[in-house]
Amino acid sequence: MDLTPYKGLIFDMDGTLIDSMPAHVEAWKKTCELFEIPFDEEWFYSLGGMPTIKTAHAINHRYQQNFDTKRLANTKSDFFEALDFKGEVISSTYQLLIDNKSSKKIAVGTGCRQMNALPLLGETNILPLLDALVTADDVEKHKPNPDTFLQAAQRIGVEPCDCLVFEDTELGKTAALAAGMDCVLVVDGEISNLTKASTR
């Protein structure tokens, strides 16, 4: 893949750099069991990239319930933290990050909360490689809004049009394109198609 046109690379975390989606879904499964909520594994996977609190709201909307969304989100976060294994690095994107660390600015833009993202990035030794980290706590409007990626571009000092985003969900891809950034989808751990932003 020719990355010459880009000055900054922005990676989503869960499912893109780290194979942590199964752990997140497992934490949601435990939460659903506790609150007696129907558990639809495929649906939870489709919400990849969405902050925990937004997923809690989506649960209320889908099942026409009125759960305390903060309590739901905190319960899920506690279950996630308690898991012994949260996922390994995804070799294709991790290697690409390593190969370009010296020549480009590197950021992670995740829908995960900082309290969950920092330990995971630390355990996988990705954190020291980053020039910037933007989490769900750093923006008000989350993916599919562009704010996460725009904030990441600002923090690494690179214009949005000079950034390339790596994402594993359509939600994240929509956010990247809305930010005016080209986007590469990561499918089943492999680097896949490049979609160019209409502004390029």
Side-chain angles (χ1 to χ4, degrees), residues 92-104:
S92 59
T93 47
Y94 180 73
Q95 191 59 52
L96 190 140
L97 188 161
I98 295 291
D99 292 344
N100 290 275
K101 174 70 186 109
S102 59
S103 60
K104 302 186 189 300

Side-chain angles (χ1 to χ4, degrees), residues 118-139:
L118 284 175
L120 194 52
L121 290 166
E123 290 164 14
T124 48
N125 297 314
I126 293 172
L127 194 60
L129 305 173
L130 304 181
D131 296 301
L133 168 64
V134 178
T135 71
D137 299 312
D138 298 311
V139 295

